[in-house]
Amino acid sequence: MLRTKLLIAAALSAAALASACAPTVGQNGFQAIDNKPADIVAGTDTKQTVLTKLGTPSTTSTFEGDNVWYYISQITEKFTYSRPHVTQRTVTEITFTDAGQVAEVRTLGLDDGQQIAMNNRETPTRGRQLTILEQLLGNVGRGQLPRTDEDQPGQRRPD
């Protein structure tokens, strides 16, 4: 009887530990509901039909005006006590002509991205560096003067 209870407790403990190792999956960004970006045909679809099929884009191009639309989605996995890790990313780039027709549809994946090394240097600020003692004692002597009988309410005191 005791052995059976220990076996059940061990099985429940193992199941609880195994469930803690399961990732939390999250889907962010554009989600295709009725039509997929692959359904867009170059030469036949226009901006209006793309809006009808896919909805508003995630973002538009900064440099080409309103002629390039991006639909971005990604799937992340997060294990307990760790940062989320991107497992799948899809970027659909739809390029339009000046007349508003679809010129090109490209689908980019996670492998097409590039890692950008951020610069960790700091921009120096103007002014001087204060020591801890200067920071603590910097306002000594700059406080309010004690009130006198000559003070009138609503008027500024000459400091």
Side-chain angles (χ1 to χ4, degrees):
M1 183 72 146
L2 181 62
R3 186 174 182 161
T4 308
K5 288 183 180 180
L6 285 174
L7 271 159
I8 291 172
L12 289 174
S13 299
L17 288 174
S19 69
C21 294
T24 303
V25 178
Q27 184 167 356
N28 305 67
F30 172 74
Q31 295 179 6
I33 298 172
D34 294 332
N35 296 313
K36 295 185 171 136
D39 297 339
I40 303 298
V41 180
T44 59
D45 284 318
T46 62
K47 286 185 180 182
Q48 188 60 39
T49 58
V50 171
L51 278 174
T52 304
K53 290 180 181 179
L54 301 179
T56 56
S58 302
T59 187
T60 58
S61 176
T62 304
F63 302 109
E64 283 87 15
D66 198 31
N67 288 339
V68 181
W69 291 358
Y70 298 99
Y71 292 89
I72 305 168
S73 67
Q74 72 179 13
I75 296 175
T76 57
E77 288 184 357
K78 181 182 182 300
F79 289 94
T80 308
Y81 305 116
S82 65
R83 290 186 171 171
H85 175 69
V86 178
T87 57
Q88 181 182 1
R89 181 178 297 137
T90 306
V91 177
T92 303
E93 176 187 64
I94 301 174
T95 307
F96 297 98
T97 62
D98 290 334
Q101 282 198 320
V102 175
E104 182 184 8
V105 178
R106 288 186 354 169
T107 302
L108 307 170
L110 191 59
D111 297 332
D112 297 322
Q114 296 178 1
Q115 291 292 333
I116 299 173
M118 300 300 283
N119 190 348
N120 59 0
R121 293 181 299 174
E122 293 181 12
T123 303
T125 58
R126 296 173 63 146
R128 63 186 190 106
Q129 299 271 337
L130 296 177
T131 64
I132 293 175
L133 193 58
E134 287 175 327
Q135 290 177 13
L136 291 174
L137 300 176
N139 287 329
V140 173
R142 293 186 187 171
Q144 293 287 328
L145 296 174
R147 294 216 172 255
T148 62
D149 294 337
E150 298 171 0
D151 290 340
Q152 296 177 4
Q155 289 203 355
R156 235 181 115 158
R157 292 179 33 205
D159 286 336

